[in-house]
Amino acid sequence: MSMPPEIRQRAEALVASERARFAEIHPRSRQMAAEAGEHFPGGVPLHWMLDWETPFPLFVRAASGSSVTDIDGHSYSDFCLGDTGAMFGHSPAPVARAIAEQAANGLTAMLPSELTAKVGDLLAARFGLPFWQVTATASDANRAVVRWARALTNRKKVLVFDGCYHGQVEDAFVKLDGGKTKMKPSLLGQVVDIAENSIAAPFNDLEAVEAILAEGDVALILTEPALTNTAMVLPEDGFIESLIASAHRHGTLVCIDETHTISTGPGGFTRAHGLDPDFFILGKPVAGGLPAAVFGFTAKVEREMRRVLDTKTPGYSGIGTTLSGNMLALAAMRACLEEVMTPENYAHMTALAERLASGLRSEVERHRLPWTVTQIGARAELVFSPRPLENGADAAAAIDHTVERAIHLFLLNRNVLVTPFHNMTLVAPTTTQADVEKLVTRFGEALSALCGESEIR
């Protein structure tokens, strides 16, 4: 799915002009980058904050609802929303109140808070699994589930899908290369070949999965309901349901990671489609943006967990960190689940995301570009492909970092933020029709520049 060369050439010119424009209109961010760079490499607390690929980082003064204000005073309509961490808006009022109230009564104590039973009730009612654990991040939750699955099944291997994303979990850093599973070369400092015990399969290919499971050595299938971290790939009808059924026939456990696909609805893709996984993971937005994640599991899994713990050698389990399940996280989670992640808010988010997706499609069609727009609930994404993608290989082939960068920088310089890693947009309860119209208009202007219909300056 190669990009037309004339589009690529204009994209390169647009990137150069937009980087220059950014530098000109953000003098205080430039100064802050220099000051922060004295102790933070690149001027950022973690290196991936440089992935916006601006000449220097954009520093935030405040974020509220669906708006971000930088230290130079520019205000942005935010459709990135912390790459899902702030999917329900920045600092939702109920969560902010809960954090303030709990902060006055303790942050962490290595003991359960009085909210524990309430949060458990909310999680079970919403997502349909009876038992839960709380971690600090979705990466921690995924890592815990991988360990539990291996302990419960006495099997070593984990199956993931080519093009997947499960945070920092090493077991998911594999890809298909010439039909074989290989460790991703981007993983820093890895000394053991992950491909020895992790297997990558093509998404939407049940036959390939069946062949892998037939070996009888796969402990866990770890998957998103839709691939979301490259170019979005939706599951074919019945694929996830058949995947779970096949896994259970072969004695393999299944974990559905909904950290991104919680955009589907109040109960995520899992509840919307009546899925019955053994494990369920939700991170990022579950506590309104405060670092927290959860993993849920069935009664059968819980019984097996107790059996394993009863026979375990005394000592550290390798699961959990000191701050996991702290009192502040439970308070924020209660408020978010009960007062923010409501059906009413989801109805607003989904309806507005549909308008956004329709507007983006109209601009793509108007400019006669062979691209598509994919949507899953409140999440919509521009994909550089003339047809919906089927698997991770399709997604990788559809990526064009130069054209992505040109669109992102053009929008950013015109006060609209979208996710820098790809072309993903999110709609929050606080997003307005005016925000959507602004994005669609600016997106159309970006395409006009890429298509040579307006001057690049």
Side-chain angles (χ1 to χ4, degrees):
M1 304 177 199
S2 60
M3 189 68 62
E6 61 274 14
I7 297 289
R8 175 74 59 72
Q9 290 170 2
R10 293 192 193 101
E12 291 172 353
L14 189 58
V15 168
S17 64
E18 293 300 327
R19 284 174 61 88
R21 177 172 178 156
F22 179 91
E24 180 183 348
I25 64 178
H26 294 95
R28 296 195 65 189
S29 274
R30 182 197 289 275
Q31 179 183 356
M32 181 62 70
E35 294 175 5
E38 291 292 321
H39 302 290
F40 292 102
V44 295
L46 255 182
H47 65 88
W48 50 255
M49 289 184 180
L50 298 172
D51 286 353
W52 294 85
E53 299 197 56
T54 49
F56 43 84
L58 179 73
F59 285 83
V60 175
R61 173 182 294 156
S64 178
S66 296
S67 179
V68 168
T69 303
D70 69 25
I71 61 173
D72 284 284
H74 306 294
S75 181
Y76 304 83
S77 294
D78 187 7
F79 290 88
C80 172
L81 295 172
D83 195 24
T84 311
M87 193 178 86
F88 303 108
H90 296 285
S91 298
V95 175
R97 286 195 300 269
I99 289 173
E101 291 170 5
Q102 184 60 51
N105 291 290
L107 305 178
T108 187
M110 286 188 72
L111 292 166
S113 81
E114 61 181 352
L115 289 172
T116 304
K118 177 62 175 177
V119 171
D121 287 344
L122 290 168
L123 290 168
R126 179 177 292 258
F127 301 113
L129 288 163
F131 292 100
W132 295 85
Q133 294 279 267
V134 179
T135 63
T137 67
S139 293
D140 291 336
N142 278 307
R143 191 172 287 112
V145 167
V146 168
R147 282 190 178 275
W148 274 119
R150 286 173 168 154
L152 301 182
T153 63
N154 287 314
R155 297 176 177 182
K156 293 182 178 180
K157 294 189 176 179
V158 174
L159 188 155
V160 296
F161 289 101
D162 184 38
C164 71
Y165 179 72
H166 300 286
Q168 296 182 70
V169 178
E170 293 86 352
D171 303 270
F173 275 79
V174 290
K175 65 175 185 175
L176 282 177
D177 186 350
K180 295 183 178 180
T181 299
K182 293 187 179 180
M183 187 171 73
K184 290 183 177 179
S186 59
L187 184 59
L188 293 173
Q190 184 63 30
V191 296
V192 176
D193 186 359
I194 293 165
E196 292 180 3
N197 289 305
S198 291
I199 307 170
F203 196 69
N204 279 321
D205 190 339
L206 190 62
E207 185 177 345
V209 172
E210 285 272 9
I212 295 167
L213 295 179
E215 297 295 321
D217 56 358
V218 176
L220 178 75
I221 295 177
L222 175 60
T223 185
E224 307 162 88
L227 300 184
T228 60
N229 210 55
T230 49
M232 190 153 59
V233 182
L234 300 183
E236 295 177 354
D237 288 345
F239 172 68
I240 302 295
E241 292 87 341
S242 298
L243 180 75
I244 294 172
S246 177
H248 289 168
R249 283 197 304 273
H250 291 282
T252 296
L253 299 170
V254 177
C255 177
I256 301 293
D257 182 354
E258 293 251 25
T259 296
H260 288 160
T261 55
I262 191 62
S263 63
T264 307
F269 190 99
T270 297
R271 216 67 200 276
H273 292 266
L275 305 180
D276 59 344
D278 303 285
F279 294 95
F280 173 98
I281 284 172
L282 177 58
K284 289 190 179 180
V286 69
L290 191 76
V294 294
F295 64 97
F297 40 96
T298 64
K300 180 180 179 181
V301 166
E302 193 271 341
R303 288 194 299 271
E304 287 297 293
M305 285 178 166
R306 283 191 280 112
R307 176 188 62 79
V308 168
L309 290 174
D310 286 344
T311 60
K312 185 180 78 67
T313 301
Y316 297 118
S317 67
I319 295 172
T321 57
T322 303
L323 296 179
S324 297
N326 65 76
M327 297 184 293
L328 189 65
L330 268 289
M333 204 177 301
R334 194 284 307 160
C336 194
L337 288 166
E338 198 166 51
E339 303 180 66
V340 180
M341 296 173 65
T342 63
E344 295 78 14
N345 277 343
Y346 266 100
H348 169 88
M349 294 157 66
T350 302
L352 214 50
E354 288 172 355
R355 293 185 189 180
L356 173 58
S358 177
L360 297 178
R361 288 189 191 102
S362 294
E363 289 299 329
V364 168
E365 292 168 3
R366 184 169 72 85
H367 289 86
R368 296 183 178 86
L369 291 165
W371 301 341
T372 56
V373 176
T374 305
Q375 182 190 353
I376 185 165
R379 182 183 181 105
E381 185 164 333
L382 172 70
V383 179
F384 298 142
S385 167
R387 58 174 177 79
L389 306 175
E390 295 181 5
N391 52 48
D394 280 356
I399 295 171
D400 189 297
H401 293 297
T402 302
V403 178
E404 279 185 3
R405 192 175 305 124
I407 293 172
H408 298 164
L409 289 170
F410 186 98
L411 294 174
L412 187 152
N413 281 336
R414 288 151 187 84
N415 306 102
V416 179
L417 298 179
V418 298
T419 303
F421 313 116
H422 36 106
N423 297 308
M424 189 273 289
T425 63
L426 277 169
V427 170
T430 48
T431 304
T432 66
Q433 178 65 31
D435 291 324
V436 168
E437 291 173 356
K438 179 180 178 182
L439 171 53
V440 170
T441 298
R442 296 307 191 193
F443 176 69
E445 293 170 356
L447 296 191
S448 292
L450 288 172
C451 292
E453 299 171 9
S454 62
E455 182 182 356
I456 295 175
R457 55 185 177 82

